[in-house]
Amino acid sequence: MSQSRAEMFTPEGVDLEHPNVARVYDYYLGGKANYAVDRVFGEKALERYPFVAAAAKANRLFLHRVVRYLCKQGIRQFIDIGSGVPTMGSTHQVADEIVDDASVVYVDNEPVAVAHSRILLEQEDVTDQHTVLHADLREPDRLWKQIEESGVIDIEQPVALLLLAVLHVTQPGSDGEDIGPQSVARFRELLPQGSFLVVTHGTADDVPESRKQEMADFGKMYDKSATPVIWRPHGEIEELFGDYELVEPGCTWTPLWHPEESGENAPVVEFDSPNDSVVWAGVARKP
């Protein structure tokens, strides 16, 4: 097994004993910012559950479409929490194709994801417009202060807060309870009027019975990793938007959200049915 880009250097704090969800996700997307422990896990997962790669790619293509859509709505500031590693088109790359004045703050608590994001921004010489923070969504007030101090985002002006495929990674607090929804509620309060909240989340609701069992088994694989996952029902995912106003068509499967915003050369991910994508998505505006 060849050495990946990640193994050429190892940032301080990296756990090499357990697979990490951000690095495994990078592997699913064909990236190089992963370690042997992640590739072994990813290969085993894809061998058993081949739908996972298509679902991951559909989620990333949703990101591309939502960034294009929001740029056209006048949004120029993006906060991408749980952004992972820069694979298959990052938020700032898509935004920069549409406008020349977008600003992006990437946030992740995984050292490899942060390190590779910094390298990408430095290589592209865009660190005056975009930045990356090593931070945790479970501490929204602290994170918000870090965003303000970065100088990249004006927190008094509308922003798009992106929480893509991160909230189904369990976010336990000190008492072991998953506090992801609680953190999202605080972010909704912190966001200025006119901002957008974007969420994608794995769900076993309304998926084919065979896929539902696969998702249960797939989730058990992650139970043994450093980053367990949880599949929420549609209702719980939609509650994350609070009293924000959902953008048409409301919450739906990732392939169905504004397909007209696909890039000219966007890859096509084929599903027998949209619910095979297993990821529920929505965009909502703070009134």
Side-chain angles (χ1 to χ4, degrees):
M1 192 176 290
S2 62
Q3 189 180 52
S4 73
R5 187 186 304 138
E7 286 156 327
M8 295 177 186
F9 69 96
T10 302
E12 184 179 352
V14 173
D15 177 4
L16 297 180
E17 299 298 319
H18 304 91
N20 175 272
V21 68
R23 303 191 312 250
V24 173
Y25 187 74
D26 170 70
Y27 175 79
Y28 295 151
L29 292 174
K32 301 295 183 184
N34 48 70
Y35 293 83
V37 65
D38 308 306
R39 295 191 291 277
V40 169
F41 182 95
E43 287 172 4
K44 188 179 295 184
L46 293 181
E47 181 180 342
R48 296 179 184 176
Y49 317 109
F51 76 91
V52 170
K57 289 175 182 175
N59 185 73
R60 182 53 61 101
L61 292 172
F62 167 84
L63 165 67
H64 296 176
R65 297 196 307 275
V66 81
V67 171
R68 289 190 189 94
Y69 176 89
L70 291 175
C71 282
K72 293 174 182 178
Q73 303 305 307
I75 292 296
R76 296 293 182 267
Q77 303 189 123
F78 296 84
I79 301 170
D80 191 343
I81 299 181
S83 52
V85 294
T87 303
M88 199 180 158
S90 298
T91 299
H92 78 279
Q93 292 171 329
V94 178
D96 289 347
E97 291 176 0
I98 308 298
V99 297
D100 59 9
D101 57 346
S103 298
V104 179
V105 172
Y106 294 104
V107 180
D108 211 289
N109 66 354
E110 211 291 316
V112 171
V114 172
H116 280 268
S117 296
R118 284 180 177 150
I119 290 170
L120 176 69
L121 297 179
E122 288 168 3
Q123 289 176 339
E124 295 183 3
D125 193 23
V126 291
T127 53
D128 58 333
Q129 246 180 302
H130 315 298
T131 193
V132 57
L133 303 176
H134 188 194
D136 199 311
L137 70 81
R138 291 170 293 187
E139 301 176 319
D141 287 282
R142 181 180 178 185
L143 173 53
W144 204 249
K145 190 172 189 297
Q146 288 177 267
I147 292 169
E148 181 180 19
E149 291 173 348
S150 75
V152 170
I153 295 288
D154 179 353
I155 61 171
E156 301 298 323
Q157 297 300 316
V159 303
L161 179 66
L162 311 178
L163 293 165
L164 274 61
V166 63
L167 293 169
H168 56 229
V169 181
T170 53
Q171 309 290 335
S174 57
D175 59 359
E177 182 183 0
D178 179 30
I179 60 172
Q182 177 182 327
S183 296
V184 177
R186 179 57 181 149
F187 282 122
R188 289 200 309 268
E189 294 173 348
L190 290 167
L191 285 169
Q193 185 178 15
S195 294
F196 288 83
L197 173 63
V198 183
V199 175
T200 68
H201 198 300
T203 181
D205 260 12
D206 297 330
V207 302
E209 284 303 316
S210 59
R211 186 56 43 81
K212 189 173 295 188
Q213 185 58 53
E214 286 180 326
M215 291 189 70
D217 295 340
F218 178 61
K220 289 175 184 176
M221 284 188 68
Y222 275 92
D223 287 343
K224 301 173 185 177
S225 76
T227 45
V229 297
I230 180 173
W231 313 126
R232 288 186 170 88
H234 290 174
E236 288 186 16
I237 298 170
E238 291 164 12
E239 286 175 2
L240 296 169
F241 294 103
D243 61 357
Y244 280 27
E245 299 170 346
L246 282 165
V247 171
E248 292 294 334
C251 289
T252 187
W253 302 107
T254 48
L256 298 180
W257 198 90
H258 287 273
E260 76 280 0
E261 294 294 348
S262 297
E264 186 176 338
N265 299 311
V268 176
V269 181
E270 297 286 353
F271 294 103
D272 292 337
S273 177
N275 60 354
D276 273 332
S277 65
V278 306
V279 177
W280 201 237
V283 178
R285 183 181 182 275
K286 184 170 186 176

